[in-house]
Amino acid sequence: MRLVIASGLFLILPLGLLATKKVISPITSASNDQVDIVATITLAEDEVAQKLGADPGKGIVLLEVRITPKTDHPVLVSPDDFILFAHDDGERAKPFEPAEIAGAGALVVTNSTDTTKVKKTSSSIGFGGITGGGSSPGMPAPTKVSSKMDTKSEGNATLLEVLKAKQFPSKESIEPVEGLLYFPLDGKHKLRNLAVLYRGPAGKLDLEFEH
C-alpha cells in the first residue's frame, strides 16, 4: 500500500513542476484611443528564414506588426515608429531597411559593452540608428553596436525583393496596416527581457512580452 502511494506522489510531482513553468508568448499588444497594435516576434534564425522564404543571415529578428486605427482620421505609420528594447542591457534598435540587409555594400554589425562614447563617422553608425542609454548603479553597462558597410558585398537581389515586398509600409491610412520589421539583435537576449516601443504620431505605447 505504501508503495502504491509513493508511486502516485512521484507521478504528481513532475506534473506539478510542469504546471509552474511559465511560457512567454511571442505575441504582444497595446492600444490607446487612436490605435490598436499587435506584434509577433520571431527570434530563431531558422524560423525567421522560414517565415520570409529566404535567409537574411544571423542577427536579424523578425517582427510582424499590425496597426488598426480606431478613429475616422487617417494615421501616419512608418517603420521608424518602432524600437526594439532590451530590458537586461538597455539596448535599443531601430529596424533595418531591406537594402541594409541585402543590398550591395550591406551592413556588417559588431557590438561591445562599455561606457565610453562611440565616435560616429560616415562608416560607423549606431545599432539600427540608436545606441543603448547610459548605465546606472546596479544596472549593466549599455550595449553599443556599430555598423560598417561591407564594400565587397554584392548584395542578394532575391532576398532584397522579398524583404521589400513584406516590409511594414510608410503610409497614411484609416484601414489596418501590417507588415514586417527587420531588427538587428545579437541573439543573447531572452524573450521575457524584450519589448517593442511605439513612438509615432498616434502617441507612445510599450508592448511588453514580459518584464
Side-chain angles (χ1 to χ4, degrees):
M1 183 67 179
R2 290 180 180 179
L3 181 60
V4 173
I5 294 174
S7 299
L9 288 175
F10 280 119
L11 287 173
I12 294 172
L13 182 58
L15 291 175
L17 290 175
L18 289 174
T20 60
K21 184 178 180 181
K22 189 171 184 179
V23 177
I24 309 302
S25 173
I27 303 174
T28 182
S29 63
S31 64
N32 58 21
D33 58 352
Q34 296 192 58
V35 293
D36 287 326
I37 302 178
V38 179
T40 303
I41 197 168
T42 303
L43 299 175
E45 182 181 350
D46 57 339
E47 293 180 11
V48 169
Q50 184 178 5
K51 286 190 175 183
L52 283 175
D55 187 1
K58 295 182 179 180
I60 300 297
V61 170
L62 202 63
L63 191 72
E64 301 173 65
V65 177
R66 178 182 175 89
I67 295 184
T68 304
K70 298 172 68 174
T71 71
D72 295 331
H73 301 288
V75 176
L76 181 63
V77 298
S78 167
D80 287 335
D81 295 340
F82 295 90
I83 299 167
L84 184 62
F85 177 69
H87 287 288
D88 50 359
D89 65 1
E91 184 178 312
R92 293 169 178 254
K94 296 284 279 185
F96 276 156
E97 287 294 323
E100 292 178 298
I101 300 171
L107 291 174
V108 175
V109 179
T110 57
N111 56 5
S112 61
T113 303
D114 58 39
T115 56
T116 59
K117 293 183 178 180
V118 176
K119 181 179 180 182
K120 294 183 179 181
T121 66
S122 59
S123 60
S124 178
I125 62 174
F127 189 4
I130 290 184
T131 57
S135 60
S136 59
M139 295 294 291
T143 298
K144 295 187 304 183
V145 184
S146 60
S147 308
K148 292 185 179 181
M149 298 299 295
D150 180 5
T151 56
K152 296 181 180 180
S153 174
E154 296 180 358
N156 183 328
T158 301
L159 176 60
L160 182 60
E161 184 177 344
V162 170
L163 296 177
K164 285 183 175 180
K166 298 185 177 185
Q167 183 185 26
F168 185 85
S170 294
K171 62 186 297 185
E172 193 174 49
S173 177
I174 60 172
E175 300 295 329
V177 180
E178 58 187 340
L180 301 180
L181 297 175
Y182 317 113
F183 287 97
L185 195 68
D186 62 13
K188 298 179 181 179
H189 300 280
K190 294 183 178 180
L191 178 57
R192 66 171 180 264
N193 292 325
L194 297 177
V196 177
L197 309 181
Y198 169 78
R199 300 293 185 265
K204 296 181 180 181
L205 291 170
D206 296 350
L207 293 79
E208 299 280 355
F209 293 99
E210 183 197 61
H211 185 61

